[in-house]
Amino acid sequence: MLGALGTGAVSYLTPLAAYAKTPSVIPYGAAVRTDPLYDDPAYKKAILDHCQIIVGEGGLKWIDLRPDRYSFDFTQADRQLAFAQEHGLEMRGHTLAWYAAMPDWTETIASPEEARLELVTHIQTVVGRYKGRISSWDVCNEPIAELPTRDAPIRDSIWLRQLGRDYIELALRTTAEIDPGARLVINDYNFEQANDTGRAKRKAFLDLVRELKAKDVPLHAVGLQGHINARIPIDRPGLTAFVAELDAMGLGVLVTELDVIDDALPAPEAERDAAVADFAKQYLEAIGEACKPEAILTWGISDRFTWVPIWFTRSDGLPNRPLPLDADYQPKPMMQVIKDFARSFDQ
Ligand code: G3I
């Protein structure tokens, strides 16, 4: 086995920096914010040191792209893609059909015909612009209801209200038609939870993808977001069995938005970072028992930029620490967990 340094020397204490330079068979990436890519040298260095893939945390959502019904604003996405192309990074597209981050004008979509026209036109325009340059799309994001039931498994959205669940097929088929080379992904969360929500989401999601596969709808992979809530135990066997079912259907699996919601974890940083790393380890290992993920992305790379405090501020007022690098871009145990997990699949 070549050590991670590629010198033939087998090193069991590989310095983390070495991992960054020699990508493993499972590429790592992160959601990025556009401005700091260009105006924060330390942020840019962190992304370039560790990532092979980027995805916009924003930029390709309807709220970013569509100021009104008749126009598109590609400014953010173009800057993200320019950065990716300049530095030889892959870029994922997030996301074409979602219930959230929708501009107000979409609430006026009032018929199935209008909804079909808007969704198809949006996908044709956006996917067409980045054809061959964005390698993988979260075509549908979070289609499963928060707590799915037998009668209502699909989350409410303008698309569901006007087109029914067939909006998912329409989005996938339209994307495939515009960019046959793109990897089409449906992305969702909470599959890891050891509770009724986790069990219900796993079942509803499997029902959905089975239906799509039975109709030969183009779908290549599933995005497991991985926003792990540390209040809720990870259902390791449940997650492993779920991923095994996806794998058996010939679907790839990506971890797309990994972070650990730490508001209920202990305050001391070392203790909290260790717990965050352990949750990530449990999560990745449960997936790894069933398949080799085709990528691992975290939803941000540094605690300096994270969505978590929007919804999960700590009662002690301390900043959240959900990501692999701290707010000064220094690696935390979670980054080592990700690198070690990815390396474990190296031949
Ligand atoms: O850019 C505006 C700014 O001009 C304005 O002053 C400010 C005040 O409201 O809002 C800013 O926009 C915010 C945007 O993030 C950029 O920071 C939006 O309000 C805010 O809603 C938006 O939140 C994002 C959220 O998705 C909704 O799009 C989060 O950053 C982003 O991390 C989160 O990501 C989602 C994934 O897309 C799907 N999976 C779950 C994940 C976490 O919620």
Side-chain angles (χ1 to χ4, degrees):
M1 172 185 91
L2 283 184
L5 301 175
T7 61
V10 175
S11 155
Y12 295 103
L13 294 173
T14 307
L16 197 57
Y19 282 141
K21 301 302 179 195
T22 53
S24 70
V25 294
I26 303 178
Y28 167 72
V32 295
R33 296 199 178 169
T34 315
D35 291 344
L37 280 179
Y38 290 91
D39 61 24
D40 180 340
Y43 180 80
K44 173 183 174 182
K45 182 179 185 305
I47 295 294
L48 296 183
D49 278 354
H50 295 280
C51 297
Q52 290 85 50
I53 312 171
I54 62 170
V55 59
E57 187 172 3
L60 279 167
K61 296 171 179 175
W62 279 64
I63 194 85
D64 308 302
L65 287 170
R66 306 298 306 278
D68 61 52
R69 184 187 292 266
Y70 308 103
S71 55
F72 292 78
D73 178 358
F74 292 108
T75 309
Q76 258 204 82
D78 284 356
R79 293 184 73 208
Q80 292 165 4
L81 184 59
F83 181 89
Q85 294 193 310
E86 181 186 353
H87 299 287
L89 305 177
E90 258 192 77
M91 179 163 163
R92 300 204 65 242
H94 176 86
T95 178
L96 298 170
W98 193 21
Y99 75 94
M102 295 294 280
D104 291 345
W105 67 261
T106 57
E107 287 164 20
T108 65
I109 295 172
S111 72
E113 296 70 27
E114 196 181 346
R116 170 180 284 272
L117 175 68
E118 292 298 343
L119 183 56
V120 169
T121 304
H122 181 85
I123 293 175
Q124 287 175 335
T125 307
V126 177
V127 176
R129 181 185 185 87
Y130 299 114
K131 180 176 178 178
R133 298 188 293 161
I134 287 182
S135 56
S136 166
W137 281 100
D138 289 338
V139 176
C140 292
N141 191 47
E142 303 171 5
I144 302 299
E146 194 62 22
L147 186 55
T149 62
R150 188 169 50 84
D151 299 332
I154 304 299
R155 183 190 295 269
D156 181 47
S157 69
I158 183 66
W159 311 122
L160 181 73
R161 288 195 296 277
Q162 292 298 346
L163 296 168
R165 62 191 288 147
D166 288 350
Y167 86 86
I168 298 167
E169 177 177 351
L170 176 63
L172 288 163
R173 290 193 186 281
T174 305
T175 307
E177 187 186 316
I178 300 304
D179 188 352
R183 196 143 178 82
L184 308 190
V185 178
I186 298 181
N187 191 44
D188 217 322
Y189 65 97
N190 281 354
F191 296 124
E192 69 282 351
Q193 294 192 346
N195 57 15
D196 289 344
T197 298
R199 283 184 285 277
K201 287 205 83 166
R202 294 193 291 266
K203 179 188 182 316
F205 194 87
L206 287 173
D207 290 347
L208 170 63
V209 295
R210 283 194 191 103
E211 175 199 331
L212 293 169
K213 297 302 280 183
K215 295 165 74 176
D216 289 328
V217 175
L219 173 65
H220 306 119
V222 167
L224 313 181
Q225 290 187 8
H227 294 296
I228 302 168
N229 189 325
R231 280 188 168 81
I232 301 166
I234 291 175
D235 183 346
R236 290 192 63 153
L239 181 55
T240 299
F242 174 70
V243 172
E245 294 257 14
L246 297 171
D247 186 60
M249 283 187 256
L251 290 167
V253 170
L254 308 83
V255 176
T256 51
E257 307 185 14
L258 182 61
D259 51 24
V260 179
I261 297 164
D262 67 329
D263 60 313
L265 289 177
E269 287 184 2
E271 189 180 355
R272 184 143 44 111
D273 291 351
V276 162
D278 185 59
F279 270 98
K281 186 170 187 288
Q282 286 183 57
Y283 180 80
L284 292 173
E285 287 181 349
I287 293 166
E289 281 180 41
C291 82
K292 180 179 79 177
E294 57 188 63
I296 300 169
L297 293 95
T298 51
W299 201 243
I301 194 168
S302 159
D303 297 336
R304 179 174 299 215
F305 301 112
T306 172
W307 69 282
V308 170
I310 298 175
W311 301 103
F312 300 96
T313 47
R314 291 179 57 91
S315 55
D316 59 16
L318 291 174
N320 298 90
R321 297 176 65 85
L323 287 166
L325 303 184
D326 70 16
D328 296 321
Y329 305 112
Q330 297 310 302
K332 294 152 61 185
M334 181 182 179
M335 184 60 93
Q336 188 73 46
V337 162
I338 293 168
K339 304 285 185 181
D340 288 346
F341 173 79
R343 280 269 173 272
S344 72
F345 286 86
D346 287 0
Q347 301 308 331

